[in-house]
Amino acid sequence: MLTDEIGLVGEISFYFEHRARCLSLCRSSLLGWSLGLFYSTVVRMASMFSRVLTGRNTAMIVAGLGAGSLMSSYVLTDSQVFAGEKTKLYPPSADFPDLRKHNNCMASALTPAIYGRLRDKLTPNDWSVDQCIQTGVDNPGHPFIKTVGMVAGDEESYEVFAELFDPVIKDRHNGYDPKTMKHPTDLDSSKITSGMFDEKYVLSSRVRTGRSIRGLSLPPACSRAERREVERVVVQALSGLKDDLAGKYYSLTDMTEKEQQQLIDDHFLFDKPVSPLLTCAGMARDWPDARGIWHNNEKSFLIWINEEDHTRVISMEKGGNMKRVFERFCRGLKENSSSCSVSSSVCMQVEKLIQERGWEFMWNERLGYVLTCPSNLGTGLRAGVHVRLPLLSKDSRLNKILDNLRLQKRGTGGVDTAAVGDTFDISNLDRLGKSEVELVQCVIDGVNYLIDCEKKLERGEDIIVPAPVIQFKK
Amino acid sequence: MPFGNTHNQLKMNYSAEQEYPDLTKHNNHMAKVLTPEMYANLRDKQTPSGFTLDDVIQTGVDNPGHPFIMTVGCVAGDEETYDVFKDLLDPVIEDRHGGYKPSDKHKTDLNPDNLKGGDDLDPNYVLSSRVRTGRSIRGFCLPPHCSRGERRGIESLSVEALGALGGDLKGKYYALKDMTDDEQQQLIDDHFLFDKPVSPLLLASGMARDWPDARGIWHNNNKTFLVWVNEEDHLRVISMQKGGNMKEVFNRFCTGLTKIEELFKAKGHEFMWNEHLGYVLTCPSNLGTGLRGGVHVKLPNVSKHEKFGEILKRLRLQKRGTGGVDTAAVGGVFDISNADRLGFSEVELVQMVVDGVKLLVEMEKRLEAGQSIDGLMPEQK
């Protein structure tokens, strides 16, 4: 009988929970005995012989075999992350997504072989590769715009599924190789030069980034309790900010109509995501629970909580003083040792504040600051201006100039909008492989160049397309 | 998180209270029934395929509902969901299906000969007749939870079974992802094509994942019998035609369904069905018969009558616009169908539609002629 059972079981691929909770609920349990030896034999055989199962009755019977034994198979990956495994009903080839009409970084990188190796792996928080790529499967992309097509559910996603994330990161970040390269972090705003723009052209300046709280799952994966924990930790920390950074938190669930209108008028309020790129990743679940906006009284420093990332940090003001915007940004985020002393009450910063409570931001040497979308790794920084360039906007060389300066243009409504009239949102293209200071300097130098071009065109002079800016310092 | 909610163990690190959803602004069946105690008791449970309580209720948490329309707010990920989470789903079912108790038995009757009349609805008023239901294939997870492999398995089984239909049921399958532009336009013109769901009620449950993979439409050459594969349920089966011959529509419906079920059985598969819940489908609102039988009917006068709502209620009918569930009526033409799904057999429900529509048309004619309809007011069925 034992041989028959092994034979039967060996011929099918079957389903185990890595902690056998479901087994106690299984209705048909042919064998009431737990046999450690039999079980491990079965697991070995199952991995050798797998066939498509057309029904789950057999799976339930087999699952019942393990009733009573806590079967957890843990796999040590190269980076010593303890992840779980879950063998599924169908072989990976049956589950491999149809990506023939897709154009995103995930679809370019994913092969049946990679999927076969990653499908049954789990991060320590039980997040799977299918959950990472769901948004990319559901959103084939645009022939001209290449979206990323995958997200992380937790910090460990980038390790456990490195085989897929690394080529995606390389694709998106101009050849940055997480296996061999290191990302520089530099939030010393005193290094910035020429950070004051001509306000005849630059209407406003803004720097934004994101931060994730280590130990809590990211928005695609987090449970309600985790999300509320993020909110609690961050709001508590922010209440420690003082002077020009002192402010107030507005939770989306408790906001009054008046507060809501004010936040809309200030252009601070974020909406429930409607973009399928975001909703398919699961980050809009339980909206608006534990989402909110914090801003300082001067309305120049703003934090979004639990939107696309745990936190989005934004420093902004009207006019062209990018240096001051970046200085406030750095000070708000992290201690700037050249201008503040640790004990000074003027300089309590968010990172210090959460560290005092035993938390820290997700960060590592390879990837810099870890965020939900691979496109925001590294600095997660987008520094930009709203700038009027009436003559340059009509010049056919504008796109090439922007390209070479490593800048991108957007409409003034944000990422999916078109430019209105002659006013653009101009910001850095890169996020990873260059430090915050480098990127902001790049924007400053680039925008100054654009303004220079505009002035030349005003005077009837010709402009030159600049040489391309260097990619990474190797 | 749909499919492979492997993430459930993580939540056990937090207390039930910390995880409990904020339902203070919600108005759906799930929100009315769920309590912190119930949540605490059920949250560590999973069906054998790994579907959890949070998976069941996610759509209800994400969609607070409307002050006037009561949505269900929960879905099943597999057949066992209705068992494992009965503490939540039984009261939801009772509330939604007019007091249907956990001990009640549901009667299935797909014998079209038991339908009386239905072949003489006045085609001057009744523009078209239609009966639809859903079926789930036992052993597979339902649309909110199935993997791509399972969904494709469902598609290939269904296509094989439907391919064996003959006679006036002989037809062809059009996979959504392989459709040519011409085929697509034809299906749109025939009003057969279903779109990727846009309703947040459906999207939040995870049933639109991997669209359009393994989704498709099968219809017979006469274009009177139509099957949707992997939309909101494994199969949606629709029989329809112009005019008022509901009897013929129902005949074809029963014949076709029975044949399809035989073909599946021949391959070792059956539909999800049990004595208590009848046919098991994704949304609790479609349990039992899963049947919506209805007509598009011109009722410009009756619909303006102050007692229109009351009449429909007594006849156990509901009105919709001719665009379907979320639309408004255009030009006095309404979609009138049975309000019930569970606790009545298929024959009984279609009988109600046939009798009810006949009465409504009679009332319409009276009002046209300037007469009163007070004498025609029906009793509560």
Side-chain angles (χ1 to χ4, degrees), chain A residues 15 19 21 25 27 54 56 60 86 90 94-98 101 115 125-126 130-131 134 137-138 216-217 221 223-226 228 253 285-286 289, chain B residues 1 4 6-7 9-11 14 18-22 25 39 46 48-50 54 58 61-62 80 139-140 147-150 152 177 196 209-210 213 269:
Chain A
Y15 178 95
R19 287 188 196 140
R21 282 182 189 274
L25 305 166
R27 279 184 286 156
T54 54
R56 274 173 38 250
M60 282 165 60
K86 186 172 91 170
Y90 290 78
D95 273 335
F96 189 73
D98 183 353
K101 295 192 181 129
Y115 183 73
N125 299 313
D126 297 347
D130 275 316
Q131 288 165 310
Q134 190 67 59
V137 175
D138 288 346
L216 295 169
S217 302
S223 71
R224 278 181 293 273
E226 283 187 291
R228 291 164 180 170
T253 34
R285 287 169 301 126
D286 313 313
D289 196 317
Chain B
M1 194 59 202
T6 45
H7 203 54
Q9 302 312 321
L10 186 84
K11 298 174 197 169
Y14 294 88
Q18 287 171 311
E19 284 289 354
Y20 192 70
D22 181 353
K25 298 194 181 119
Y39 184 80
Q46 302 184 55
S49 76
D54 279 316
Q58 190 67 57
V61 175
D62 288 347
E80 294 84 357
F140 289 87
S147 71
R148 283 181 288 273
E150 280 186 294
R152 291 162 179 169
K177 61 177 180 174
K196 176 170 178 176
R209 288 170 300 127
D210 315 312
D213 197 319
H269 294 278

Coordinates of all heavy atoms in Angstrom, one line a residue, chain A residues 15 19 21 25 27 54 56 60 86 90 94-98 101 115 125-126 130-131 134 137-138 216-217 221 223-226 228 253 285-286 289, chain B residues 1 4 6-7 9-11 14 18-22 25 39 46 48-50 54 58 61-62 80 139-140 147-150 152 177 196 209-210 213 269:
Chain A
Y15 N -0.3 20.2 -3.5 CA -0.4 21.5 -2.9 C -0.1 21.4 -1.4 O -0.7 20.7 -0.7 CB -1.8 22.1 -3.1 CG -2.1 23.4 -2.5 CD1 -1.9 24.5 -3.3 CD2 -2.5 23.5 -1.2 CE1 -2.2 25.8 -2.8 CE2 -2.8 24.7 -0.7 CZ -2.7 25.9 -1.5 OH -3.0 27.1 -0.9
R19 N 2.9 26.3 6.3 CA 2.5 25.9 7.6 C 1.2 25.3 7.5 O 0.3 25.8 6.9 CB 2.4 27.2 8.5 CG 3.8 27.7 8.8 CD 3.8 28.8 9.8 NE 5.1 29.5 9.7 CZ 5.3 30.8 9.7 NH1 4.2 31.6 9.9 NH2 6.5 31.3 9.6
R21 N -1.7 25.0 8.4 CA -3.0 25.4 9.0 C -4.2 24.9 8.2 O -5.2 24.4 8.8 CB -3.1 26.9 9.0 CG -2.3 27.5 10.2 CD -2.5 29.0 10.2 NE -1.5 29.6 11.1 CZ -1.8 29.7 12.4 NH1 -2.9 29.3 12.9 NH2 -0.9 30.3 13.2
L25 N -8.5 21.8 8.1 CA -9.8 22.0 7.5 C -10.1 21.1 6.4 O -11.2 21.1 5.8 CB -9.9 23.5 7.0 CG -9.5 24.5 8.1 CD1 -9.3 25.9 7.4 CD2 -10.6 24.6 9.1
R27 N -11.3 18.3 4.2 CA -12.5 17.5 4.5 C -12.2 16.0 4.3 O -12.7 15.1 4.9 CB -13.7 17.9 3.6 CG -14.4 19.0 4.3 CD -15.6 19.4 3.5 NE -15.3 20.0 2.2 CZ -16.1 20.0 1.2 NH1 -17.3 19.3 1.2 NH2 -15.8 20.6 0.1
T54 N -5.9 18.0 -12.9 CA -7.1 18.7 -13.5 C -8.1 18.9 -12.4 O -9.1 19.5 -12.6 CB -7.7 17.9 -14.6 OG1 -7.9 16.5 -14.1 CG2 -6.8 17.8 -15.8
R56 N -8.9 19.2 -7.9 CA -8.2 19.4 -6.6 C -8.6 18.3 -5.6 O -8.1 18.3 -4.5 CB -8.5 20.8 -6.0 CG -7.5 21.8 -6.5 CD -7.9 23.2 -6.1 NE -8.3 23.3 -4.8 CZ -9.6 23.6 -4.4 NH1 -10.5 23.8 -5.3 NH2 -9.9 23.7 -3.2
M60 N -6.5 17.5 -2.2 CA -7.0 17.6 -0.9 C -6.7 16.3 -0.1 O -6.4 16.3 1.1 CB -8.5 17.8 -0.9 CG -8.9 19.2 -1.2 SD -10.6 19.4 -1.7 CE -11.4 18.8 -0.2
K86 N 6.3 27.1 -1.5 CA 5.0 26.5 -1.6 C 4.9 25.8 -2.9 O 4.9 26.5 -4.0 CB 3.9 27.6 -1.4 CG 2.5 27.0 -1.4 CD 1.5 28.0 -1.0 CE 1.0 28.7 -2.2 NZ -0.2 29.5 -1.9
Y90 N -0.1 23.3 -10.3 CA 0.2 23.2 -11.7 C 1.7 23.5 -11.8 O 2.3 24.2 -11.0 CB -0.5 24.3 -12.5 CG -2.0 24.1 -12.6 CD1 -2.9 24.3 -11.6 CD2 -2.5 23.5 -13.8 CE1 -4.2 24.1 -11.7 CE2 -3.8 23.3 -14.0 CZ -4.7 23.6 -12.9 OH -6.0 23.3 -13.1
A94 N 2.3 26.0 -16.8 CA 0.9 26.2 -16.9 C 0.5 27.6 -16.4 O -0.5 28.2 -16.8 CB 0.1 25.1 -16.2
D95 N 1.3 28.1 -15.5 CA 1.0 29.4 -14.9 C 1.7 30.6 -15.5 O 1.5 31.7 -15.2 CB 1.3 29.4 -13.4 CG 0.2 28.8 -12.5 OD1 -1.0 28.9 -13.0 OD2 0.5 28.3 -11.4
F96 N 2.6 30.3 -16.4 CA 3.5 31.3 -17.0 C 2.6 32.3 -17.8 O 1.8 31.9 -18.6 CB 4.5 30.8 -17.9 CG 5.5 31.8 -18.4 CD1 6.5 32.3 -17.5 CD2 5.5 32.3 -19.7 CE1 7.4 33.3 -17.9 CE2 6.4 33.3 -20.1 CZ 7.3 33.8 -19.2
P97 N 2.7 33.6 -17.5 CA 1.8 34.6 -18.1 C 2.0 34.8 -19.6 O 3.2 34.5 -20.0 CB 2.1 35.9 -17.3 CG 3.5 35.7 -16.8 CD 3.6 34.3 -16.5
D98 N 1.0 35.1 -20.3 CA 1.1 35.4 -21.7 C 1.6 36.8 -21.9 O 0.8 37.8 -21.7 CB -0.2 35.1 -22.4 CG -0.2 35.3 -23.9 OD1 0.9 35.8 -24.4 OD2 -1.2 35.0 -24.6
K101 N 2.0 40.4 -25.9 CA 1.6 41.8 -26.3 C 2.1 42.8 -25.3 O 1.6 43.9 -25.3 CB 0.1 41.8 -26.4 CG -0.5 40.9 -27.5 CD -1.9 41.2 -27.8 CE -2.4 40.3 -28.9 NZ -3.7 39.6 -28.6
Y115 N 10.9 32.2 -14.3 CA 9.6 32.0 -13.6 C 9.6 30.7 -12.9 O 9.1 30.6 -11.7 CB 8.5 32.2 -14.6 CG 7.1 32.1 -13.9 CD1 6.6 33.1 -13.1 CD2 6.3 31.0 -14.1 CE1 5.3 33.1 -12.6 CE2 5.0 30.9 -13.5 CZ 4.5 31.9 -12.8 OH 3.3 31.8 -12.2
N125 N 7.9 37.2 4.6 CA 6.5 37.7 4.8 C 5.5 37.0 3.9 O 4.4 37.4 3.8 CB 6.4 39.2 4.6 CG 7.3 39.9 5.5 OD1 7.3 39.7 6.7 ND2 8.1 40.9 5.0
D126 N 6.0 35.9 3.3 CA 5.1 35.1 2.4 C 4.6 35.8 1.2 O 3.5 35.6 0.7 CB 3.9 34.6 3.2 CG 4.3 33.7 4.4 OD1 5.4 33.2 4.4 OD2 3.4 33.4 5.2
D130 N 4.5 36.0 -8.2 CA 3.2 36.3 -8.9 C 2.6 37.6 -8.4 O 2.1 38.3 -9.2 CB 2.2 35.1 -8.7 CG 2.4 34.0 -9.7 OD1 2.6 34.3 -10.9 OD2 2.4 32.8 -9.3
Q131 N 2.7 37.8 -7.1 CA 2.2 39.0 -6.6 C 3.0 40.2 -7.0 O 2.5 41.3 -7.2 CB 2.1 38.9 -5.1 CG 1.0 38.0 -4.7 CD 1.0 37.6 -3.2 OE1 2.1 37.1 -2.7 NE2 -0.1 37.7 -2.5
Q134 N 2.0 40.9 -10.9 CA 0.6 41.0 -11.3 C 0.3 42.3 -12.0 O -0.4 42.3 -13.0 CB -0.3 40.9 -10.0 CG -1.8 40.8 -10.4 CD -2.1 39.5 -11.1 OE1 -1.9 38.4 -10.6 NE2 -2.6 39.5 -12.3
V137 N 1.5 42.1 -15.6 CA 0.7 41.1 -16.4 C -0.6 41.8 -16.8 O -1.1 41.7 -17.9 CB 0.4 39.8 -15.6 CG1 -0.6 38.9 -16.4 CG2 1.7 39.1 -15.2
D138 N -1.2 42.6 -15.8 CA -2.5 43.2 -16.0 C -2.4 44.4 -16.9 O -3.4 44.9 -17.5 CB -3.2 43.6 -14.7 CG -3.7 42.4 -13.9 OD1 -3.8 41.3 -14.5 OD2 -3.9 42.5 -12.7
L216 N 8.3 46.6 8.1 CA 6.8 46.6 7.7 C 6.7 46.4 6.2 O 7.5 46.9 5.4 CB 6.2 47.9 8.2 CG 6.2 48.1 9.7 CD1 5.8 49.6 10.0 CD2 5.2 47.2 10.4
S217 N 5.7 45.6 5.8 CA 5.5 45.3 4.4 C 5.1 46.6 3.7 O 4.6 47.5 4.2 CB 4.3 44.3 4.2 OG 4.6 43.1 4.9
A221 N 1.5 44.8 -0.3 CA 1.4 43.6 0.5 C 0.8 43.8 1.9 O 0.3 42.9 2.5 CB 2.7 42.9 0.6
S223 N -0.8 44.4 5.5 CA -2.1 44.2 6.1 C -2.6 45.5 6.7 O -1.8 46.5 6.8 CB -2.1 43.2 7.2 OG -1.4 43.7 8.3
R224 N -3.9 45.6 7.1 CA -4.4 46.8 7.6 C -3.6 47.2 8.9 O -3.3 48.4 9.1 CB -5.9 46.7 8.0 CG -6.8 46.9 6.8 CD -8.3 46.7 7.2 NE -8.6 45.4 7.6 CZ -8.9 44.4 6.8 NH1 -9.1 44.6 5.5 NH2 -9.2 43.2 7.3
A225 N -3.3 46.2 9.7 CA -2.6 46.5 10.9 C -1.2 47.1 10.7 O -0.8 48.1 11.3 CB -2.5 45.3 11.8
E226 N -0.5 46.6 9.7 CA 0.8 47.1 9.3 C 0.7 48.5 8.8 O 1.5 49.3 9.2 CB 1.4 46.2 8.2 CG 2.0 44.9 8.7 CD 2.7 44.2 7.6 OE1 2.1 43.7 6.6 OE2 4.0 44.1 7.7
R228 N -1.6 50.7 9.5 CA -1.9 51.6 10.6 C -0.6 51.8 11.4 O -0.4 52.9 12.0 CB -3.0 50.9 11.4 CG -4.3 50.9 10.7 CD -5.3 50.0 11.4 NE -6.6 50.0 10.7 CZ -7.6 49.1 10.9 NH1 -7.5 48.2 11.8 NH2 -8.7 49.2 10.2
T253 N -9.4 59.6 6.6 CA -10.7 59.2 7.1 C -11.3 60.2 8.0 O -12.6 60.3 8.0 CB -10.6 57.9 8.0 OG1 -9.3 57.9 8.7 CG2 -10.6 56.7 7.1
R285 N -5.9 49.0 -1.6 CA -6.8 48.2 -0.7 C -7.1 49.0 0.6 O -6.3 49.7 1.1 CB -6.1 46.9 -0.3 CG -6.0 45.8 -1.4 CD -5.1 44.7 -0.9 NE -3.8 45.1 -0.6 CZ -3.2 44.9 0.5 NH1 -3.7 44.2 1.5 NH2 -2.0 45.4 0.7
D286 N -8.3 48.8 1.0 CA -8.8 49.4 2.3 C -8.8 50.9 2.3 O -8.9 51.5 3.4 CB -7.9 48.9 3.5 CG -7.6 47.4 3.4 OD1 -8.6 46.6 3.3 OD2 -6.5 47.0 3.6
D289 N -8.3 53.9 4.7 CA -7.8 53.5 6.0 C -6.3 53.8 6.2 O -5.5 53.3 5.3 CB -8.1 52.0 6.2 CG -8.0 51.6 7.7 OD1 -7.0 52.0 8.4 OD2 -8.8 50.8 8.1
Chain B
M1 N -5.1 39.4 -0.2 CA -4.5 39.6 -1.5 C -4.9 38.4 -2.4 O -4.7 37.2 -2.0 CB -3.0 39.6 -1.4 CG -2.3 40.1 -2.6 SD -2.8 41.7 -3.1 CE -2.3 41.7 -4.8
G4 N -3.1 32.9 -3.9 CA -1.9 32.7 -3.1 C -1.8 33.7 -2.0 O -0.8 34.4 -1.9
T6 N -0.7 33.9 0.6 CA 0.3 33.4 1.5 C 0.6 34.3 2.6 O 1.3 34.0 3.6 CB 1.6 33.1 0.7 OG1 1.8 34.3 -0.1 CG2 1.4 32.0 -0.3
H7 N 0.1 35.5 2.5 CA 0.4 36.6 3.4 C -0.3 36.5 4.7 O -0.2 37.3 5.6 CB 0.1 37.9 2.7 CG 0.9 39.1 3.2 ND1 2.3 39.1 3.3 CD2 0.5 40.3 3.7 CE1 2.6 40.3 3.8 NE2 1.6 41.0 4.0
Q9 N -0.4 34.6 7.3 CA 0.3 34.3 8.5 C 0.9 35.5 9.2 O 0.9 35.7 10.4 CB 1.5 33.3 8.3 CG 1.0 32.0 7.6 CD -0.1 31.4 8.3 OE1 -0.2 31.4 9.5 NE2 -1.1 30.8 7.6
L10 N 1.3 36.5 8.3 CA 1.9 37.7 8.8 C 0.9 38.4 9.7 O 1.3 39.0 10.7 CB 2.3 38.6 7.6 CG 3.1 39.8 8.0 CD1 4.5 39.5 8.2 CD2 2.9 40.9 6.9
K11 N -0.4 38.4 9.3 CA -1.4 39.2 10.0 C -1.6 38.6 11.5 O -2.0 39.4 12.3 CB -2.7 39.1 9.3 CG -2.6 39.7 7.9 CD -3.9 39.5 7.2 CE -3.7 39.8 5.7 NZ -4.9 39.4 5.0
Y14 N -0.3 40.4 14.5 CA -1.1 41.5 15.0 C -2.4 41.0 15.6 O -2.9 40.0 15.2 CB -1.4 42.6 13.9 CG -0.2 43.2 13.4 CD1 0.5 42.7 12.3 CD2 0.3 44.4 13.9 CE1 1.7 43.3 11.8 CE2 1.4 45.1 13.4 CZ 2.1 44.5 12.4 OH 3.2 45.1 11.9
Q18 N -6.3 45.1 15.9 CA -5.5 45.9 15.0 C -5.8 45.7 13.6 O -5.6 46.6 12.8 CB -4.0 45.6 15.3 CG -3.5 46.1 16.7 CD -2.1 45.6 17.0 OE1 -1.8 44.4 16.9 NE2 -1.3 46.5 17.4
E19 N -6.2 44.5 13.2 CA -6.4 44.2 11.8 C -7.9 44.5 11.4 O -8.2 44.5 10.2 CB -6.2 42.7 11.5 CG -4.7 42.4 11.4 CD -4.0 42.9 10.2 OE1 -4.7 43.5 9.3 OE2 -2.8 42.8 10.1
Y20 N -8.8 44.7 12.3 CA -10.2 44.8 12.0 C -10.4 46.0 11.0 O -10.0 47.1 11.3 CB -11.0 44.9 13.2 CG -12.5 44.7 13.0 CD1 -13.0 43.5 12.6 CD2 -13.4 45.8 13.1 CE1 -14.4 43.3 12.4 CE2 -14.7 45.7 12.8 CZ -15.2 44.4 12.5 OH -16.6 44.2 12.2
P21 N -11.2 45.8 9.9 CA -11.4 46.9 9.0 C -12.3 48.0 9.6 O -13.2 47.7 10.4 CB -12.1 46.2 7.8 CG -12.7 45.0 8.4 CD -11.8 44.6 9.5
D22 N -12.1 49.2 9.1 CA -13.0 50.3 9.5 C -14.2 50.3 8.7 O -14.2 50.7 7.5 CB -12.2 51.6 9.4 CG -13.0 52.8 9.8 OD1 -14.2 52.7 10.1 OD2 -12.5 53.9 9.9
K25 N -18.3 53.7 7.7 CA -19.1 54.4 6.7 C -19.6 53.4 5.6 O -20.0 53.8 4.5 CB -18.1 55.4 6.0 CG -17.6 56.4 6.9 CD -17.0 57.6 6.2 CE -16.5 58.6 7.2 NZ -15.0 58.8 7.2
Y39 N -14.7 38.3 13.3 CA -13.4 38.5 12.6 C -12.3 37.7 13.3 O -11.5 37.0 12.7 CB -13.1 40.0 12.5 CG -11.8 40.2 11.7 CD1 -11.9 40.2 10.3 CD2 -10.6 40.5 12.3 CE1 -10.7 40.4 9.5 CE2 -9.5 40.7 11.6 CZ -9.5 40.7 10.2 OH -8.4 40.9 9.4
Q46 N -8.4 29.1 6.8 CA -8.2 29.2 5.3 C -8.9 28.0 4.7 O -9.0 27.0 5.3 CB -6.7 29.1 4.9 CG -5.8 30.1 5.5 CD -4.4 30.0 5.0 OE1 -4.2 30.0 3.8 NE2 -3.5 29.8 5.9
P48 N -8.8 25.0 1.9 CA -7.7 24.2 1.4 C -6.9 24.8 0.4 O -5.7 24.6 0.3 CB -8.4 22.9 0.9 CG -9.6 22.8 1.7 CD -10.1 24.2 1.9
S49 N -7.4 25.7 -0.4 CA -6.6 26.4 -1.5 C -6.0 27.7 -1.0 O -5.3 28.4 -1.7 CB -7.5 26.7 -2.7 OG -8.3 27.8 -2.4
G50 N -6.2 28.0 0.3 CA -5.6 29.2 0.9 C -6.4 30.4 0.8 O -5.8 31.5 1.0
D54 N -9.9 37.7 4.9 CA -9.7 39.0 4.3 C -9.9 39.0 2.8 O -10.3 40.0 2.2 CB -8.2 39.5 4.6 CG -8.2 40.1 6.0 OD1 -9.1 40.9 6.4 OD2 -7.3 39.8 6.8
Q58 N -12.5 41.6 1.1 CA -11.7 42.8 0.5 C -12.6 43.7 -0.3 O -12.5 44.9 -0.2 CB -10.5 42.3 -0.3 CG -9.5 43.4 -0.7 CD -8.8 44.0 0.5 OE1 -8.2 43.3 1.3 NE2 -9.0 45.3 0.7
V61 N -14.7 45.8 1.8 CA -14.0 46.8 2.6 C -13.6 48.0 1.6 O -13.7 49.2 2.0 CB -12.7 46.3 3.1 CG1 -11.8 47.3 3.8 CG2 -13.0 45.2 4.2
D62 N -13.2 47.7 0.4 CA -12.8 48.7 -0.6 C -14.0 49.4 -1.2 O -13.8 50.5 -1.7 CB -12.1 48.0 -1.7 CG -10.7 47.6 -1.3 OD1 -10.2 48.0 -0.2 OD2 -10.0 46.8 -2.1
E80 N -15.3 25.7 -1.0 CA -15.2 25.5 0.4 C -15.4 26.8 1.2 O -15.6 26.8 2.4 CB -13.8 24.8 0.8 CG -13.7 23.4 0.3 CD -13.2 23.4 -1.2 OE1 -13.1 24.4 -1.8 OE2 -13.0 22.2 -1.7
G139 N -13.8 21.6 -8.2 CA -12.3 21.3 -8.2 C -11.4 22.4 -8.6 O -10.2 22.3 -8.4
F140 N -12.0 23.5 -9.1 CA -11.2 24.6 -9.5 C -11.5 25.8 -8.6 O -12.7 25.9 -8.1 CB -11.5 25.0 -10.9 CG -11.0 24.1 -12.0 CD1 -11.7 23.0 -12.3 CD2 -9.7 24.3 -12.5 CE1 -11.2 22.1 -13.3 CE2 -9.2 23.4 -13.5 CZ -10.0 22.3 -13.9
S147 N -5.5 30.6 -10.2 CA -4.2 30.9 -10.9 C -4.4 30.9 -12.4 O -5.4 30.5 -12.9 CB -3.1 29.9 -10.5 OG -3.4 28.7 -11.2
R148 N -3.4 31.4 -13.1 CA -3.5 31.4 -14.6 C -3.7 30.0 -15.1 O -4.5 29.7 -16.0 CB -2.3 32.1 -15.2 CG -2.3 33.6 -15.1 CD -1.1 34.2 -15.8 NE 0.1 33.9 -14.9 CZ 0.6 34.7 -14.0 NH1 -0.1 35.8 -13.7 NH2 1.6 34.4 -13.3
G149 N -2.9 29.1 -14.5 CA -3.0 27.7 -14.9 C -4.4 27.1 -14.8 O -4.9 26.4 -15.6
E150 N -5.0 27.4 -13.6 CA -6.4 26.9 -13.4 C -7.4 27.6 -14.4 O -8.2 26.9 -14.9 CB -6.8 27.3 -12.0 CG -6.3 26.4 -10.9 CD -6.9 26.7 -9.5 OE1 -6.7 27.8 -9.0 OE2 -7.7 25.9 -9.0
R152 N -6.8 28.7 -17.3 CA -6.7 28.1 -18.6 C -7.2 26.7 -18.7 O -7.8 26.3 -19.7 CB -5.2 28.1 -19.0 CG -4.6 29.5 -19.2 CD -3.1 29.5 -19.1 NE -2.5 30.8 -19.3 CZ -1.3 31.1 -19.1 NH1 -0.4 30.2 -18.7 NH2 -0.9 32.4 -19.3
K177 N -8.3 37.0 -26.4 CA -7.0 37.5 -26.8 C -6.6 37.2 -28.2 O -5.7 37.8 -28.8 CB -5.9 37.0 -25.8 CG -5.7 35.5 -25.8 CD -4.6 35.2 -24.8 CE -4.4 33.7 -24.8 NZ -3.2 33.3 -24.0
K196 N -13.6 44.0 -20.2 CA -12.9 43.8 -19.0 C -13.7 44.6 -17.9 O -14.1 45.7 -18.2 CB -11.5 44.4 -19.1 CG -10.7 44.4 -17.9 CD -9.3 44.8 -18.1 CE -8.5 44.9 -16.8 NZ -7.1 45.2 -17.0
R209 N -7.8 39.8 -12.8 CA -6.4 39.6 -13.0 C -6.1 38.9 -14.3 O -6.8 38.1 -14.8 CB -5.9 38.7 -11.9 CG -5.8 39.4 -10.5 CD -5.5 38.4 -9.4 NE -6.6 37.4 -9.4 CZ -6.4 36.1 -9.4 NH1 -5.1 35.6 -9.5 NH2 -7.4 35.2 -9.4
D210 N -4.9 39.2 -14.9 CA -4.4 38.6 -16.1 C -5.3 38.7 -17.3 O -5.1 38.0 -18.3 CB -4.2 37.1 -15.8 CG -3.5 36.8 -14.5 OD1 -2.5 37.4 -14.2 OD2 -4.0 35.9 -13.7
D213 N -6.4 36.9 -20.6 CA -5.9 35.5 -20.6 C -7.0 34.5 -20.2 O -7.7 34.7 -19.2 CB -4.7 35.4 -19.6 CG -3.9 34.1 -19.8 OD1 -4.5 33.1 -20.1 OD2 -2.7 34.2 -19.7
H269 N -15.9 15.7 -14.8 CA -16.0 16.9 -14.0 C -17.5 17.2 -13.8 O -18.3 16.8 -14.6 CB -15.5 18.1 -14.8 CG -14.0 18.0 -15.0 ND1 -13.1 18.4 -14.0 CD2 -13.2 17.5 -16.0 CE1 -11.9 18.2 -14.4 NE2 -11.9 17.7 -15.6

